[in-house]
Each structure stands twice: as structure tokens, then as C-alpha cells.
Amino acid sequence: MEQVEARQAGHSDGGSYRLLLEAVTDYAIYMLDLNGRVASWNAGARRFKGYEADEIIGQHFSRFYTEEDRLDGLPARALATAEAEGRFENEGWRVRKDGARFWAHVVIDPIRDPAGRLIGYAKITRDLTERREAEQKLRRSLEQFRLLVQSVTDYAIYMLDRDGFISSWNAGAERIKGYDAEEIIGQHFSRFYTPEDRAAGEPAKALETAGRVGRYEKEGWRVRKDGTRFRASVIIDAITGDDGTLIGFAKITRDITERVAAQRALDEAREALAQSQKVEAIGQLTGGIAHDFNNLLTAILGSLTLVRKRVGDDAKVLSLLDNAIHGAERGSALVKRMLAFARRQELSLVAVDLPELVRGMKDLMQTSIGPMITIDMRFAPDLEPVRSDRHQLESALVNLVVNARDAMPNGGMVTISGLAEEIRENHRTRLKPGRYVCLSVADTGAGMDKATLLKAAEPFFTTKGIGKGTGLGLPMIQGLAEQSGGRLVLESELGRGTTARIWLPSALASQDVVAAASGPTPEPSPIDRRLTILAVDDDALVLLNTAALLEDLGHEVLPAASGAEALRLFTDRPDVELVITDQAMPHMTGLQLAREIRSIQPDLPIILATGYAELPPDADPDLARIGKPYGQDELERAIQGVVNARGAI
């Protein structure tokens, strides 16, 4: 559709104008004054709109718009756009005199006098409601050409001849592809394809498909003038003559690189969320199982300890008991790994000197991995300490070194290194900004493929043989790192070894780190008299075991199976000198029981027994704790500690 040009003010070609008004019936062509009122009316306008000239001239053109568009201010915006930008064009619903709607293509051009003053508008409307298929194809071709001449910059729109040589070029093509029109017109469009696609014959396939079915649409990588690649959405339409003969092709390309990247990031975020939810669910299950298992181990270890004291000197029986105790202790170690994965183990966060810790463990690690593997230590000078649990970190380090050994059955090298780094926003580790130290353990072993690497830190996943691995080593390390405020990152490539990086917060940047003791903790003084102890646990096995251990130590025990029962006993027995209570109990937790008792007797010593780090943030930090599973020695030391801290009872 050609743009109507404004005529010079004062000049009129009446014959041509009348011909336009009376002869053209496929277009409604009429004039508007400055205020948008109809100033002329042609036969096409009568046919489309249904109004005669004498009933519409002088009326505002907004009556042709739908009620919704009038409320939205579309008529006023159309005139304002035409005045400001030199043209207004769109498609939408319009209303005939009888109220029926039709789909219209509308163009409004401003009319200016020689001095540039706006004197009115020329408006062309076409009824596209019942257009024929041939008209649709023509309009599509004309629309593509119009988009080209209007300098669309978001799309590369250009024409190809039958053989795929470029015959036109728009501003969008120049922006996206990087070529000026004079250097690309006449060139074959296949130069935009990657070498791989050209070798596979993709350009020819695209034209063949478009020529055969009329349209080709695909996404793929394309190449700019400077050699960089971008992701493109491509449409190729066949252009045919009136007789159906193929004339050429119209090609539209859109750069969707950012959209694809955003979608990829969204997919990765969804995958990370799904993985996080899966790990969280397994962690909840693991934590619950570990809690119950801790109770069982507490009863088993305590009972075995008491039985061992009473069996006499039968070496065979003692050997069996020691074996059972050792098995229970191994079970306790397994539970700690499960709790570490579930991020529920108790951590003693202290400032840990990594070089000193690794040097102190080198002999132990070397013994564990054998003489065929060399340990190399590389630490930055004056490396700052990290904030973590020293004992858990030692266990994690041994675990990584043993994993490295298993990946190098024919020998190799393990490199342990440390380096401090200031982490900023959007770091590859996804850590919060701050100061961190990275402890790396790298091996020269077989490495892992991508599928194995993705699963490596999942609970119970192991590549080792049956009975040689629990699949909790890496999850334990991951739990330790995250509870410490850091992260475990695994890097591996098949045939090129594996590197495990434990990122931990710098102790220098942490205000709540308790400095590691420079010497051994002194043993508490023994208790030389009988105490009256209130023992509370909802698990009958644990309660019976705790009472037996305490009685074996010479104390009087008042057992209670709930917080409510414990409060009743405490009220009835004012001679209670110590309370040992489980934390995880129904209806009343150990912390709630402790608060009730302290409200009555503030100075009474209380020991809280817990299987994992389940305490809320507002828990009393001065409340003594003992971890499950515990034996008689741990129980005795805990009692000595609280009694000595409170003074003579």
C-alpha cells in the first residue's frame, strides 16, 4: 500500500481527487481535520463503514473504534503518533454503522503545508475481514517489503532470489549480521551458516523445504561478519507469481541468543531447585533415621559396657563383647556421616589453621593411601585460618584422600593446597560475598564422566564395589562445608583426575568463632559422692540404659518417660540434684522442660542429650549438652563438668 502524500496548500487536482473518492471501493480514503473530524468521504468508506457522506462528514472519526479502544484512548494516540512520527499504522477491530465489527488495516498520515504546519490527516482503511487467500499472500509480501523499508531493527528481513542470493537488506539485518547492504547484496545467504551446517547441506535443505511447502522455520546457530555465533530463529517464505511460479524467498531472522540463555538459566535454576528439594527430602529422612538409630546405639553401647564389667575374665567372651562395642562405635560413626549430610550434626566452629592441620595429618594420610601415592602440599604463605569444625574437617580430608587413592590403583599424586579469595556477587561457587579459603584435594586418577560427576555428591551413590563404600563420604563433606557457611565443589574429567574444593569462610572475617584451644582440655574433677539424678527420655530403651549407667556409677536415679512426668517427680522430690533430659520428646522438649525447672530452681545443673543439631536459635548457650550415642565415660565426664561448673551441690 503506497503512502498518501500531502499536497501543497492551496493546490488542488479536483479530477484526480474525485476519481480517488468515487472509483476506489477497496479502500476507505478520507480526510480528517486537526481535531479528528471527518472532512471528506469516498465510496470505499461508504462500503466499509456504512455511512453516507452527509451523515458522517463533521463527525469525529473515533466513532469507528470499539468501545474498548475509545476508553483506552486509541483514537487520540493514533493522531498524536501520526503527528509526532509522521505515520500511524496498525490493525484492529473497527465498527460499522450497523454495529457490526470488521478487522481493518489503518494508515494515518499527517498533512502539512509548505511551511510544515499540520493542517489535517489523510486516513486509509482497508477491510481485511473476508480477504481471499491470494490477497493474504500479496499482503504478506507487501507487509514484508513495508517492514524492510521502515527500517525494522529487531529482525533481519531480506529477500533471496531462487538460488539463495541476497537481493535486499534492511537495518535489522545490518545490526544482527554485521554486514552493510553494499557488501552483502549479491552474496549467497549460506555464508551466515556455521561450517558444520554448510557441510551438512542445511542452506540448500532450507530453500528446498520453503519452495516445496511454502515455508521453512527453524532455530539454530548463525555466524556474524566478525565470526561470532548467535542463536537465531529463522523463517523463510516462498514468493510466487500469479501463475504459482517460484520467484524467490523472503527471509526473516531474529537474534534469540539472550532468550535462549535466559531459558537455559531458568532450566538450570529449576534443576538446581529440584535437586535441592530432593536432597532436602533425603536429608529429612536421613535425620529422622539417624535420630532413632542414635537412641538404639545409646542403649546398645551402654548395655554392652555394663555387661563387659560383669562377665569376669573369660577372654573369649570379652573378645566378643569388644567386637560388638567396636561394631556399635562404627555404627555411631556412620550416623555422624548421615547427620553431616543432613546438616544436623553438632559443629564446634573454631579457627582452624589449614597448613598446620594438613601437616599434622600427613603421616596418617600417607599410611592410609600407601607408598605408591605421593602427597604434595601447596599452601599460600601466611594463609589465613578458616571457620569450621576441626575434627569434622580432619575426617573430610581423610575421606577425600582415600577417595583419591581408590581412583589411582596404579599410584599417582595427591595435591593438597589452600588459597584465600574474596568472593563477590555471582561467583561460580554461588557463595555469599565475603572472604573465603579454598582447600583443594586434587588427584591424577581416572576422573569421572559428566553423568557420574553430577551424582557424585548424592547420598548413597558410590562407584566403589559392594561393601567398600557407603556413599555418604562426599555428602558428609558437603554438609560440613554448608553448615560452616561454605560449599563443596567437585571438578573432574574422564582420564584427567578429580579436584575437590572445600570453600570455607575465613576465620578472620567471622566474629563468632571460638579460638581453638592451645592445649588439651583439662579433665573435670571426679564426683566423690552419690547424687540424686532425674533422667528423662521418651524412648524406654534409652531411659533404661541411662538409668543403669548412672546407677552403676553409684547415683540414685529417678526415671521419667516424658516432660510432664519429670515435672511431677521434680515437684515431689526436692532433693533432685541434677537433671539429664532428652531434647526430642513429644509435647514437651528437653529445652522446654529445662526452662520450667530453671523457673523453679535457677541453679540446678541440667544436661541436654541430643542426637543432632536440632536446637532452635534461642536455645540457652550455657545449657550443658551430651551427644547421642553416649557411653558411661561420656556420661560421667558430662556430670563432672556441670557439677564442677556449678560448684559443690
Side-chain angles (χ1 to χ4, degrees):
M1 179 174 55
E2 298 181 355
Q3 181 178 354
V4 178
E5 298 180 349
R7 302 297 183 183
Q8 292 184 356
H11 177 75
S12 172
D13 186 345
S16 297
Y17 185 66
R18 283 193 300 275
L19 178 63
L20 174 66
L21 290 178
E22 299 303 328
V24 177
T25 59
D26 287 340
Y27 295 84
I29 305 175
Y30 52 98
M31 305 298 178
L32 304 177
D33 64 16
L34 285 171
N35 297 316
R37 299 186 181 279
V38 180
S40 68
W41 201 244
N42 82 323
R46 287 198 303 274
R47 186 173 73 84
F48 291 172
K49 313 283 190 175
Y51 295 93
E52 296 297 328
D54 57 359
E55 61 182 335
I56 196 63
I57 290 177
Q59 301 297 315
H60 199 271
F61 85 112
S62 61
R63 69 165 49 196
F64 308 137
Y65 285 74
T66 64
E67 181 67 20
E68 308 94 275
D69 285 346
R70 287 200 299 272
L71 291 174
D72 191 44
L74 181 57
R77 285 203 307 276
L79 296 185
T81 301
E83 179 182 1
E85 300 180 8
R87 183 183 181 87
F88 172 82
E89 180 175 1
N90 85 332
E91 291 186 7
W93 292 109
R94 297 295 183 269
V95 183
R96 307 185 201 275
K97 178 182 176 181
D98 62 3
R101 294 188 177 193
F102 68 101
W103 187 258
H105 177 264
V106 177
V107 176
I108 303 176
D109 287 287
I111 304 174
R112 300 182 184 276
D113 64 15
R117 290 189 297 270
L118 181 69
I119 60 175
Y121 302 91
K123 191 170 187 294
I124 301 177
T125 303
R126 187 181 183 192
D127 184 353
L128 302 179
T129 309
E130 298 178 353
R131 63 190 176 186
R132 294 174 299 174
E133 182 62 27
E135 291 172 337
Q136 289 177 333
K137 291 181 179 179
L138 177 60
R139 189 201 64 79
R140 195 157 52 238
S141 298
L142 292 174
E143 181 69 6
Q144 290 169 348
F145 179 77
R146 185 187 63 80
L147 289 172
L148 286 174
V149 299
Q150 285 190 324
S151 302
V152 173
T153 58
D154 286 339
Y155 294 83
I157 306 174
Y158 51 98
M159 313 300 286
L160 306 175
D161 66 16
R162 293 178 56 182
D163 298 319
F165 289 93
I166 299 165
S167 58
S168 69
W169 198 246
N170 82 324
E174 181 178 336
R175 184 183 70 82
I176 293 172
K177 310 280 192 177
Y179 295 93
D180 293 331
E182 57 269 19
E183 63 180 331
I184 198 63
I185 290 177
Q187 302 296 316
H188 200 269
F189 85 112
S190 61
R191 70 162 48 196
F192 307 134
Y193 284 72
T194 64
E196 310 92 87
D197 285 348
R198 287 201 299 271
E202 287 296 328
K205 291 177 185 176
L207 294 187
E208 188 277 330
T209 301
R212 177 166 44 83
V213 302
R215 184 182 181 87
Y216 171 85
E217 185 171 357
K218 194 174 183 180
E219 290 185 6
W221 290 105
R222 296 296 183 268
V223 183
R224 307 186 205 273
K225 178 183 177 181
D226 62 6
T228 59
R229 297 189 177 195
F230 67 99
R231 193 72 179 175
S233 173
V234 176
I235 297 174
I236 302 177
D237 282 297
I239 302 174
T240 58
D242 293 336
D243 59 356
T245 303
L246 180 67
I247 299 173
F249 303 92
K251 191 169 187 296
I252 303 176
T253 301
R254 187 179 185 188
D255 184 350
I256 58 170
T257 308
E258 292 183 0
R259 191 193 79 187
V260 171
Q263 184 61 46
R264 186 183 302 112
L266 178 60
D267 292 342
E268 290 174 354
R270 285 173 176 165
E271 178 63 26
L273 176 60
Q275 180 69 11
S276 174
Q277 290 173 335
K278 179 174 71 174
V279 170
E280 179 63 24
I282 297 175
Q284 293 284 352
L285 175 63
T286 302
I289 293 173
H291 174 266
D292 292 340
F293 196 31
N294 265 334
N295 281 344
L296 295 175
L297 288 173
T298 298
I300 291 170
L301 282 170
S303 298
L304 288 173
T305 300
L306 293 177
V307 169
R308 196 183 189 287
K309 287 184 175 183
R310 291 164 170 75
V311 296
D313 298 327
D314 189 323
K316 185 174 290 187
V317 174
L318 288 174
S319 176
L320 291 173
L321 282 172
D322 288 340
N323 191 50
I325 291 172
H326 181 63
E329 289 172 345
R330 286 182 60 182
S332 176
L334 178 60
V335 169
K336 288 180 179 178
R337 287 191 174 188
M338 294 171 67
L339 290 174
F341 157 70
R343 302 177 186 91
R344 297 185 178 186
Q345 87 273 39
E346 291 279 4
L347 292 185
S348 176
L349 297 178
V350 297
V352 180
D353 184 330
L354 286 180
E356 179 270 331
L357 179 138
V358 175
R359 281 193 293 268
M361 296 179 61
K362 185 176 181 182
D363 290 343
L364 171 64
M365 292 187 294
Q366 191 67 68
T367 301
S368 301
I369 62 179
M372 295 178 64
I373 297 174
T374 303
I375 296 178
D376 183 26
M377 296 189 301
R378 301 176 185 176
F379 288 96
D382 302 322
L383 185 66
E384 56 207 74
V386 298
R387 175 184 183 268
S388 190
D389 184 298
R390 183 182 183 90
H391 299 297
Q392 294 284 351
L393 194 54
E394 288 175 346
S395 177
L397 188 58
V398 170
N399 199 302
L400 290 176
V401 170
V402 170
N403 282 351
R405 176 203 66 189
D406 294 341
M408 300 183 292
N410 298 320
M413 175 176 287
V414 175
T415 302
I416 305 174
S417 59
L419 188 66
E421 184 176 340
E422 187 72 29
I423 299 297
R424 306 197 182 280
E425 293 284 354
N426 301 319
H427 191 265
R428 64 185 182 280
T429 59
R430 302 194 303 276
L431 287 165
K432 294 180 180 179
R435 187 75 175 169
Y436 292 83
V437 176
C438 179
L439 173 63
S440 300
V441 178
D443 64 56
T444 57
M448 294 180 278
D449 58 27
K450 290 183 179 180
T452 304
L453 181 61
L454 286 173
K455 297 180 179 180
E458 289 187 2
F460 310 113
F461 175 82
T462 179
T463 58
K464 301 176 183 180
I466 297 175
K468 294 184 178 180
T470 63
L472 286 171
L474 289 176
M476 179 272 288
I477 299 170
Q478 180 173 270
L480 166 67
E482 296 195 7
Q483 264 195 280
S484 300
R487 182 152 293 148
L488 170 67
V489 178
L490 296 175
E491 299 170 4
S492 187
E493 188 175 341
L494 202 59
R496 298 197 174 185
T498 299
T499 300
R501 305 184 192 278
I502 306 177
W503 292 84
L504 296 167
S506 167
L508 300 183
S510 303
Q511 301 299 320
D512 56 342
V513 176
V514 179
S518 57
T521 303
E523 287 291 326
S525 302
I527 305 300
D528 57 2
R529 71 182 190 82
R530 176 185 176 92
L531 299 176
T532 301
I533 300 176
L534 176 59
V536 191
D537 202 300
D538 64 309
D539 189 303
L541 288 177
V542 177
L543 183 60
L544 178 63
N545 172 78
T546 302
L549 291 175
L550 292 172
E551 288 171 350
D552 186 67
L553 291 172
H555 303 298
E556 180 186 1
V557 181
L558 305 176
S562 67
E565 183 182 353
L567 282 177
R568 287 194 298 271
L569 282 172
F570 180 72
T571 303
D572 295 339
R573 292 290 300 267
D575 58 331
V576 170
E577 299 169 281
L578 173 67
V579 177
I580 299 175
T581 177
D582 183 32
Q583 161 60 9
M585 297 187 296
H587 308 303
M588 182 183 294
T589 66
L591 278 175
Q592 293 169 335
L593 174 61
R595 292 191 187 105
E596 292 290 337
I597 292 174
R598 287 275 172 86
S599 68
I600 301 171
Q601 191 171 337
D603 294 330
L604 186 71
I606 300 175
I607 299 174
L608 192 68
T610 175
Y612 53 85
E614 62 195 348
L615 302 183
D618 60 345
D620 184 356
D622 296 329
L623 198 63
R625 304 180 197 177
I626 183 171
K628 289 182 177 180
Y630 52 79
Q632 191 173 46
D633 291 342
E634 292 89 350
L635 195 58
E636 185 175 21
R637 281 195 296 271
I639 295 172
Q640 292 170 351
V642 294
V643 170
N644 291 337
R646 292 282 176 177
I649 297 178

